[in-house]
Structure formats: structure tokens, C-alpha cells
Amino acid sequence: MTRTRSLGLLSILGSLLGLVLVAAFTAGDFGLPGTAAYRVYETLNRLMAVPLLLMACGWLALARALPSGYGRVAAWLAFAAMVVMAAGTAAEFWLFSDQPYGVWTNGRMAAFMSFFVASLLLYVAATVVGVALWRSGAGSRVAAVVLMAAIPLYVAAILTLGSNFLAPALLAPAAGWAAIRSVETFRRNASTPASAP
């Protein structure tokens, strides 16, 4: 099994774990620090850092699979964004979980803002990667469409479930699958002899 294929599959696994946690979030309530509801919310957020890192593997695979150009740069940016999102989530709920919400000068807000800014970068980068995949014809057309719809997916996730984690979990399998299919396409194209003029 190639490294790119393994990374793509890890991304899909991370997405599945993330979707399970998103479902658990929707079943629970949010509470302020110190309440029983907050302890459940805190635990779910702590656990979410692991699926986010696994989801980042798909973007790493895609960055490695794509040829040089704007699509590859965007895939690297999406990978970096996912790592920052995982770090921001971990920092907020492991290091600063006892700090109050709404204070702009505390570590909790800094951790959340790093997550939020990175997530915006992810959605823009995913859109660019989707366009690059569509134009190149490499990989899966369905994955390209899903990635191009990153911003609407995020807006829909926020408006319907209020979830910051649903859109990354929906984009990760598209990135992982696109990476696996892109490598196969580029390998097939490289092994096919060019036709004579």
C-alpha cells in the first residue's frame, strides 16, 4: 500500500470518527465551565483533536499527489490549516478549559481564534483544490465538486447544526479519495506512451 493511499485512508477514518463525535455533540447540551454539561462538551472537544489530525492526512496526501501548481499550494495550506485547527481545539480544551468564554485577552479565545481563522483558510484552500482537480481531470469528479462546495458546506453546517466540525469531516474523505485517485491517474498517464503526432 502506498504512503499516499495510507494517508488518504487515514483521512477517511478521521472523518468517520469526526462524524460520530459531531453526532454526540448534537445529542448533548452546552454548559458553562464547571457544569456537568460542560464536562461532556469538554470531553468531546478534547477527543475531536485526534480525528482532526487524522483528517489532515488526506490534505497531506493530496499535497504530495498533485503536480506543482496552485492546487498543490492550496492543498499544503489546507493541511497546515487542519493541523492548526487540531492544535487550537486541543489548546482550548486541554490548556485553557477553565478560562471563561468571551474574554478577548485569555488563552481560550486565542486558541479558538486560531481554530476559526485556520478553518476559514481551509474552506478557501479546499475550494481552490477542487477547482484544480476539476480542471486537471485527475481524481474523482465527485470529490472535486465536494471540495469546490467547501464554503457552502461550512455555512450549511453552521446554520443547521451549529457545528464547526461537520464541514471538515465532510471535506476530509473527499480530499483523501481525491489523493488516492489522483495518484492512480498520474501514474496511469505516466505509464501510457505518448501517441505519435
Side-chain angles (χ1 to χ4, degrees):
M1 183 177 295
T2 68
R3 188 174 298 146
T4 300
R5 186 177 183 82
S6 298
L7 289 169
L9 292 174
L10 284 173
S11 180
I12 294 167
L13 173 63
S15 171
L16 294 174
L17 293 173
L19 290 172
V20 168
L21 289 173
V22 166
F25 273 111
T26 60
D29 292 325
F30 170 78
L32 292 175
T35 64
Y38 180 78
R39 282 192 293 277
V40 172
Y41 180 77
E42 176 188 58
T43 300
L44 292 173
N45 275 285
R46 285 178 173 182
L47 292 173
M48 185 58 83
V50 174
L52 287 172
L53 281 176
L54 290 173
M55 291 179 219
C57 292
W59 295 105
L60 176 59
L62 203 46
R64 292 168 41 91
L66 291 174
S68 60
Y70 67 91
R72 181 181 226 174
V73 170
W76 279 114
L77 289 174
F79 168 69
M82 287 296 300
V83 171
V84 171
M85 290 167 66
T89 300
E92 181 179 356
F93 291 96
W94 284 99
L95 302 177
F96 308 118
S97 194
D98 293 333
Q99 294 182 352
Y101 282 95
V103 178
W104 283 92
T105 55
N106 68 13
R108 175 185 285 278
M109 185 59 77
F112 174 74
M113 288 307 294
S114 69
F115 173 91
F116 180 71
V117 170
S119 70
L120 294 180
L121 175 61
L122 171 68
Y123 306 129
V124 172
T127 302
V128 173
V129 170
V131 169
L133 286 170
W134 184 269
R135 291 189 67 206
S136 73
S140 164
R141 289 288 197 182
V142 173
V145 169
V146 170
L147 295 177
M148 285 190 288
I151 295 171
L153 276 174
Y154 169 69
V155 172
I158 292 296
L159 293 179
T160 58
L161 296 178
S163 173
N164 285 314
F165 301 119
L166 180 58
L170 294 175
L171 295 173
W177 182 245
I180 292 167
R181 293 292 307 272
S182 294
V183 166
E184 292 170 1
T185 302
F186 295 134
R187 194 173 289 145
R188 194 167 43 247
N189 290 346
S191 65
T192 304
S195 57

